[in-house]
């Protein structure tokens, strides 16, 4: 590292914003809205499909349209936040998300619904990196940063389960349209609060010309990747379009990396992802999300189809996981973040989550909620909450202010791509195991009740087969976190990478000027 860069790292931090804690409330509210939307619509999907006359073949586009726009445009959204300023991007993103939600709630046909979902994804891609990068530039003190990211991490991890509860209530007692309309008050309150409260630090914008080739290549590459996994889930991995999407994605993203290494003002400066700690976090976080998305999917099906729970009861069944995440993030992660190195929270956190997942491999039709599901979900929540909090904080720590938006976007991109992979990969594993079980056991089932029992047993067999893979994925995430992430505790030192000749021996984390 150059002498200038070394001095910059030791420069005194700017005076913290006096309204930063009020700002956190509105940033957290916006984050909750985006995370809720990932699961709340899934609960409402059967009712919406029936009302709007959406075919079984097209219903996946209610989820896919959002995922493609969100995943494909995240890097672009992060760069826009760096260019416009995070506050402006945040408020515009909220306004657009609210308008798109109103359109979705008022949808009268499938085209209107798909368009609304794509718009939600596009504005979400502007909003999510702006929210995270605002936290990164507003909270520079190590202890305060730990608390702020503890809250943010708890919402990022637990919001999906809250969406299941809220989605169940709104669908069962009001109407599926309210799963869209509920976003509007969230967005209005968060936007008004952000407009009046947030004071973004000066000098953090990146006013370089927009890297248009980078925008096109990254957007098309990420869209192809997410769509490839989404299509694999419904059409199989050997489907010609699925394979074509993966090949196209590999070519486009390789071209993107090549362009970024050459252009003067890249969309994603390679220094953001090649830094050892950030690279390790993006990778381990993406893997952990693969496991988490699969879990939400299988447990929702298990509780509703096998155990016969209502949507509302299913949502409440996830409460222990939310409680575990909040505890892990705000109590364990926040309290230990300033005392131990981040990898000593992330690695063990993922392993505790893997232990919870391991318990779920014992699922049977008659499994007790209290004896098996409750402790498993508590362990999963505690582990994920403990790991997410330092990951979210470290992913944006020490990054140059002009790169805060794209660094934040990469956190969201790793989560979004991880979610798409998790849903497709684990669903495929579960479906294969279910089909094999039915083929082996259906011949012995003579009565209709016996055949139904075999079908249920086959479903559970499929879930547990996929959950075994999720256990392995979490163990790999823990290994990556322990190996790659070598930053010291805030206030201490970073451990220099052995293969980095220019690394400084000691970097004081809390005095990084954002």
């Amino acid at each position: 590292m150059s002498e200038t860069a070394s001095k910059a790292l030791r420069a005194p931090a700017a005076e913290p914003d006096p309204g930063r804690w009020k700002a956190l409330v509105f940033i957290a509210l916006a984050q909750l809205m985006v995370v809720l939307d990932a699961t709340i619509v899934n609960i409402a999907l059967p009712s919406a499909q029936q009302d709007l006359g959406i075919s079984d073949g097209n219903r996946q586009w209610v989820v896919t349209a959002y995922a493609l726009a969100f995943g494909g445009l995240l890097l672009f959204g992060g760069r826009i936040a760096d260019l416009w300023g995070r506050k402006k991007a945040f408020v515009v993103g909220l306004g657009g998300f609210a308008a798109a939600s109103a359109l979705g709630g008022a949808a009268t046909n499938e085209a209107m619904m798909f368009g609304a979902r794509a718009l939600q994804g596009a504005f979400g891609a502007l909003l999510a990196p702006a929210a995270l990068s605002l936290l990164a530039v507003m909270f520079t003190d190590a202890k305060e940063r730990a608390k702020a990211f503890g809250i943010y991490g708890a919402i990022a991890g637990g919001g999906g389960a809250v969406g299941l509860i809220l989605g169940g209530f709104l669908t069962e007692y009001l109407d599926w349209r309210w799963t869209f309309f509920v976003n509007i008050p969230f967005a209005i309150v968060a936007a008004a609060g952000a407009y009046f409260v947030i004071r973004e630090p000066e000098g953090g914008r990146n006013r370089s010309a927009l890297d248009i080739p980078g925008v096109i290549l990254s957007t098309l590459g990420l869209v192809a990747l997410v769509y490839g996994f989404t299509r694999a889930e419904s059409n199989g991995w050997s489907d010609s379009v699925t394979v074509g999407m993966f090949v196209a994605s590999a070519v486009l993203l390789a071209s993107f990396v090549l362009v970024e290494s050459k252009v003067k003002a890249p969309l994603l400066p390679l220094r953001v992802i090649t830094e050892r700690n950030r690279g390790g976090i993006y990778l381990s976080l993406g893997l952990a999300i693969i496991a988490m998305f699969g879990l939400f999917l299988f447990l929702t099906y298990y509780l509703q189809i096998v155990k016969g729970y209502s949507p509302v009861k299913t949502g409440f069944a996830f409460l222990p996981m939310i409680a575990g995440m909040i505890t892990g993030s705000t109590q364990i992660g926040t309290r230990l973040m300033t005392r131990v190195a981040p990898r000593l929270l992330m690695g063990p956190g993922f392993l505790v989550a893997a232990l919870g997942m391991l318990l779920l491999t014992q699922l049977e039709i008659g499994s007790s909620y209290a004896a098996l599901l409750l402790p498993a979900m508590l362990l999963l929540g505690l582990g994920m909450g403990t790991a997410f909090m330092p990951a979210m904080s470290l992913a944006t720590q020490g990054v140059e202010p002009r790169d805060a938006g794209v660094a934040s976007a990469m956190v969201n991109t790793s989560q979004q791509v991880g979610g798409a992979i998790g849903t497709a990969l684990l669903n495929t594993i579960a479906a294969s195991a279910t089909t094999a079980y039915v083929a082996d056991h259906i011949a012995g089932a003579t009565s209709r009740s016996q055949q139904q029992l075999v079908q249920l047993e086959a479903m559970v067999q499929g879930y547990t087969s996929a959950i075994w893979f999720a256990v392995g994925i979490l163990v790999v995430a823990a290994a990556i976190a322990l190996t790659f992430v070598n930053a010291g505790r805030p206030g201490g030192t970073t451990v220099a990478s052995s293969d980095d000749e220019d690394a400084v021996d000691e970097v004081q984390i809390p005095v990084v000027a954002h």
Side-chain angles (χ1 to χ4, degrees):
M1 186 180 289
S2 69
E3 188 179 342
T4 308
S6 184
K7 285 178 180 176
L9 282 169
R10 292 182 172 86
E15 193 67 29
D17 180 359
R20 61 196 178 281
W21 291 108
K22 289 180 186 174
L24 175 62
V25 173
F26 301 112
I27 293 169
L29 189 64
Q31 172 66 10
L32 179 62
M33 181 186 75
V34 173
V35 176
L36 280 177
D37 207 71
T39 52
I40 196 171
V41 173
N42 290 350
I43 296 283
L45 188 52
S47 305
Q49 181 186 354
Q50 191 174 354
D51 272 11
L52 300 178
I54 301 172
S55 68
D56 283 347
N58 283 342
R59 70 180 172 189
Q60 62 155 331
W61 283 101
V62 177
V63 176
T64 304
Y66 179 89
L68 291 182
F70 188 67
L73 293 170
L74 269 167
L75 284 177
F76 182 44
R79 178 67 180 86
I80 291 294
D82 287 335
L83 182 67
W84 287 358
R86 285 113 209 160
K87 177 179 174 177
K88 183 178 179 181
F90 185 71
V91 173
V92 170
L94 281 166
F97 200 91
S101 297
L103 187 67
T108 54
N109 55 52
E110 62 178 35
M112 195 170 166
M113 169 62 78
F114 299 157
R117 288 292 282 161
L119 276 174
Q120 276 188 315
F123 283 106
L126 179 62
L127 174 60
L132 185 55
S133 56
L134 274 171
L135 282 191
V137 298
M138 292 178 79
F139 289 89
T140 53
D141 175 76
K143 287 187 177 177
E144 288 192 350
R145 188 182 176 91
K147 287 178 186 174
F149 276 90
I151 294 165
Y152 187 90
I155 290 169
V162 176
L164 295 172
I165 298 173
L166 194 56
F169 261 108
L170 294 172
T171 304
E172 206 165 311
Y173 297 115
L174 289 172
D175 186 76
W176 65 265
R177 295 181 185 276
W178 282 97
T179 60
F180 287 89
F181 292 144
V182 74
N183 290 330
I184 298 170
F186 272 103
I188 290 171
V189 171
Y195 184 79
F196 290 110
V197 171
I198 290 176
R199 299 285 179 269
E200 188 179 347
E202 293 295 323
R205 291 197 193 179
N206 185 344
R207 299 183 188 276
S208 306
L210 199 58
D211 169 22
I212 300 298
V215 170
I216 294 169
L217 288 169
S218 68
T219 301
L220 292 177
L222 288 169
V223 163
L225 183 64
V226 173
Y227 184 57
F229 280 111
T230 304
R231 189 176 173 88
E233 183 190 349
S234 54
N235 293 69
W237 295 90
S238 58
D239 173 68
S240 58
V241 177
T242 302
V243 174
M245 283 293 149
F246 286 136
V247 172
S249 172
V251 171
L252 287 163
L253 292 176
S255 303
F256 171 66
V257 172
L258 186 65
V259 166
E260 297 309 274
S261 67
K262 305 285 186 189
V263 296
K264 186 179 178 183
L267 172 70
L268 175 63
L270 297 182
R271 61 180 174 267
V272 171
I273 54 173
T274 54
E275 198 277 319
R276 177 173 178 158
N277 290 288
R278 270 191 293 278
I281 282 167
Y282 296 147
L283 195 54
S284 61
L285 208 54
L287 287 169
I289 293 292
I290 290 176
M292 280 295 288
F293 261 69
L295 175 80
F296 277 138
L297 189 72
F298 297 136
L299 275 191
T300 301
Y301 283 147
Y302 174 79
L303 291 169
Q304 289 194 25
I305 297 172
V306 179
K307 303 295 275 187
Y309 284 22
S310 69
V312 172
K313 191 176 179 183
T314 300
F316 275 107
F318 279 97
L319 276 178
M321 189 185 294
I322 300 172
M325 279 185 174
I326 292 170
T327 304
S329 189
T330 61
Q331 299 304 310
I332 301 172
T334 299
R335 290 174 188 275
L336 294 180
M337 180 67 180
T338 53
R339 299 177 188 178
V340 300
R343 70 173 180 270
L344 299 181
L345 290 173
M346 289 178 64
F350 288 138
L351 289 175
V352 168
L355 183 60
M357 201 73 85
L358 188 63
L359 287 179
L360 290 175
T361 60
Q362 306 305 306
L363 268 184
E364 294 174 354
I365 290 178
S367 291
S368 160
Y369 177 84
L372 182 67
L373 286 137
L374 177 64
M377 284 200 271
L378 276 171
L379 285 170
L380 272 158
L382 276 171
M384 287 295 195
T386 302
F388 274 19
M389 185 263 143
M392 293 282 186
S393 177
L394 195 60
T396 52
Q397 194 163 325
V399 74
E400 294 181 34
R402 61 193 172 128
D403 296 334
V406 288
S408 301
M410 274 303 299
V411 176
N412 289 285
T413 301
S414 66
Q415 290 177 305
Q416 187 64 24
V417 172
I421 294 170
T423 305
L425 178 65
L426 297 179
N427 239 355
T428 306
I429 293 164
S432 300
T434 298
T435 304
Y437 188 92
V438 169
D440 289 345
H441 295 81
I442 199 71
T446 51
S447 67
R448 183 172 175 79
S449 61
Q450 285 177 327
Q451 288 172 352
Q452 287 176 335
L453 183 64
V454 168
Q455 290 286 353
L456 288 176
E457 286 173 344
M459 272 186 199
V460 176
Q461 179 68 28
Y463 302 156
T464 54
S465 298
I467 288 169
W468 270 112
F469 274 85
V471 172
I473 289 167
L474 282 171
V475 171
V476 172
I480 289 170
L482 288 166
T483 307
F484 281 77
V485 179
N486 66 348
R489 63 182 177 81
T493 62
T494 55
V495 183
S497 170
S498 58
D499 56 359
D500 183 359
E501 294 175 5
D502 296 320
V504 289
D505 294 325
E506 186 175 321
V507 178
Q508 295 297 328
I509 299 289
V511 295
V512 172
H514 288 279

